[in-house]
């Protein structure tokens, strides 16, 4: 039955690649909504994909969230001869708990991978004025150059409502999530079912365009509850490697 299960997952991976229009899908067994250990399996798969994507020079931009925190947990030394490994935070504080913030995850990944890191010390939501003055800070400007030139981008995807609440968004925005039918969130962008960006958090960090210039983009998101979000995100999302779980995969294929 183990063999049968594996070939079943391989089959689903192929189907998902077609349905979502991405070149590679990796599905781990189980549903992370039900069992926390499934996140570690996705984390391990993520580390493998990062390893596969490595070249001579590597700038690896990472976002936050509990799934990427699990990937950091599963990280191991990646350094080989002549390989430069620089990890950068793709976003500043996005109102997440410390252990789930991009900076924490970035530093931990770099330490375990035996690479270097640069963190983004900027707060969550920024006013226009602070945004522009912070962008002129040389230290921030330098990190942003790395983010814009990332060779590998690793990010999570969340359900829009869950993320709006988790970031303590105001009533107005929560209403907009409903009226504009936002279903997905990734790196501070909110998407509707057609993959259109309906809102973007004004903060310093990874921008939508950056995803199309990277050598590889790895999205890590699972759980039945994220099926709709994953589907929506990939409507217009960049070609990526998607690492997900059986819970999300089954639901996406059912919706389709
Ligand atoms: O807040 C960072 C972030 O990567 C979001 O962009 C994403 O929606 C979320 O975390 C995913 O979090 P989790 O892995 O905990 O579901």
């Amino acid at each position: 039955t183990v063999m049968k299960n594996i070939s079943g997952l391989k089959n689903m991976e192929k189907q998902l690649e077609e349905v979502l229009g991405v070149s590679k899908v990796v599905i781990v067994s189980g549903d992370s909504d039900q069992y926390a250990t499934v996140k570690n399996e996705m984390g391990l798969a993520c580390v493998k994909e990062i390893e596969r994507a490595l070249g001579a020079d590597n700038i690896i931009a990472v976002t936050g969230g509990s799934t990427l925190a699990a990937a950091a947990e599963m990280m191991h030394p990646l350094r080989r001869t002549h390989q430069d490994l620089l990890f950068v935070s793709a976003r500043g504080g996005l109102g997440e708990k410390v252990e789930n913030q991009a900076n924490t995850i970035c530093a931990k990944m770099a330490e375990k991978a035996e690479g270097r890191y640069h963190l983004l010390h900027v707060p969550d939501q920024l006013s226009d004025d602070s945004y522009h003055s912070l962008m002129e800070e040389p230290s921030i400007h330098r990190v942003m150059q790395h983010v814009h030139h990332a060779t590998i981008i690793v990010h999570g995807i969340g359900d829009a409502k869950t993320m709006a609440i988790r970031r303590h968004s105001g009533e107005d925005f929560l209403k907009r999530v409903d009226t504009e039918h936002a279903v997905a969130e990734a790196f501070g962008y909110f998407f509707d079912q057609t993959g259109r960006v309906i809102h973007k958090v004004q903060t310093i960090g990874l921008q939508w365009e950056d995803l199309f210039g990277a050598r590889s983009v790895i999205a890590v998101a699972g759980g039945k509850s994220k099926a709709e979000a994953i589907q929506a995100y990939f409507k217009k999302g960049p070609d990526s490697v998607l690492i997900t779980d059986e819970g999300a995969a089954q639901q996406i294929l059912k919706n389709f």
Side-chain angles (χ1 to χ4, degrees):
T1 57
V2 172
M3 285 311 286
K4 204 169 157 201
N5 198 17
I6 289 174
S7 74
L9 288 182
K10 289 274 161 245
N11 213 337
M12 275 208 286
E13 286 172 350
K14 291 281 158 273
Q15 289 180 46
L16 265 196
E17 284 162 9
E18 242 170 67
V19 165
L20 300 176
V22 297
S23 49
K24 183 171 181 183
V25 173
V26 177
I27 304 175
V28 306
S29 59
D31 183 341
S32 53
D33 283 349
Q34 285 175 30
Y35 302 103
T37 51
V38 177
K39 266 186 199 168
N40 294 342
E41 293 303 317
M42 286 193 281
L44 193 59
C46 172
V47 172
K48 278 193 198 147
E49 287 308 318
I50 294 175
E51 217 165 3
R52 249 183 220 127
L54 291 177
D57 290 307
N58 305 283
I59 302 176
I60 306 160
V62 298
T63 67
S66 61
T67 315
L68 285 206
E73 205 58 60
M74 305 309 281
M75 185 55 84
H76 53 72
L78 296 180
R79 194 190 274 296
R80 309 256 163 78
T81 41
H82 307 306
Q83 271 185 0
D84 193 23
L85 269 187
L86 173 65
F87 288 80
V88 289
S89 314
R91 306 291 299 207
L94 278 173
E96 292 273 21
K97 290 194 287 187
V98 168
E99 61 270 34
N100 291 344
Q101 280 175 15
N103 280 338
T104 314
I105 292 167
C106 176
K108 190 168 187 176
M109 272 197 186
E111 252 162 49
K112 290 194 160 187
E114 296 176 358
R116 301 180 292 132
Y117 63 83
H118 280 311
L119 306 182
L120 254 185
H121 296 293
V122 290
D124 186 12
Q125 311 258 350
L126 294 170
S127 65
D128 278 351
D129 283 354
S130 15
Y131 175 84
H132 292 295
S133 57
L134 275 173
M135 279 302 265
E136 273 161 34
E137 279 297 324
S139 64
I140 290 171
H141 186 79
R142 223 173 302 129
V143 181
M144 281 313 300
Q145 285 309 307
H146 290 310
V147 172
H148 293 321
H149 294 107
T151 57
I152 303 174
I153 295 172
V154 190
H155 70 88
I157 301 172
D159 164 69
K161 191 70 152 286
T162 309
M163 290 315 295
I165 294 170
R166 200 157 103 187
R167 292 200 190 124
H168 309 289
S169 306
E171 272 304 313
D172 281 0
F173 184 63
L174 287 177
K175 260 194 211 123
R176 270 191 67 202
V177 166
D178 280 337
T179 55
E180 300 191 37
H181 310 289
V183 294
E185 192 281 347
F187 36 83
Y189 286 67
F190 285 80
F191 309 85
D192 70 10
Q193 265 174 335
T194 70
R196 194 174 62 92
V197 175
I198 67 125
H199 178 76
K200 157 180 191 288
V201 176
Q202 163 121 306
T203 184
I204 290 172
L206 185 79
Q207 305 298 312
W208 182 245
E209 309 79 70
D210 297 330
L211 289 142
F212 295 85
R215 185 166 68 216
S216 40
V217 180
I218 304 170
V220 201
K224 189 177 174 192
S225 61
K226 285 191 187 178
E228 212 187 349
I230 295 169
Q231 217 172 336
Y233 171 79
F234 281 111
K235 286 273 161 67
K236 296 199 167 72
D239 188 25
S240 313
V241 174
L242 167 67
I243 295 161
T244 189
D245 63 17
E246 226 180 328
Q250 274 170 348
Q251 188 62 36
I252 294 170
L253 294 174
K254 215 186 270 173
N255 291 347
F256 199 77

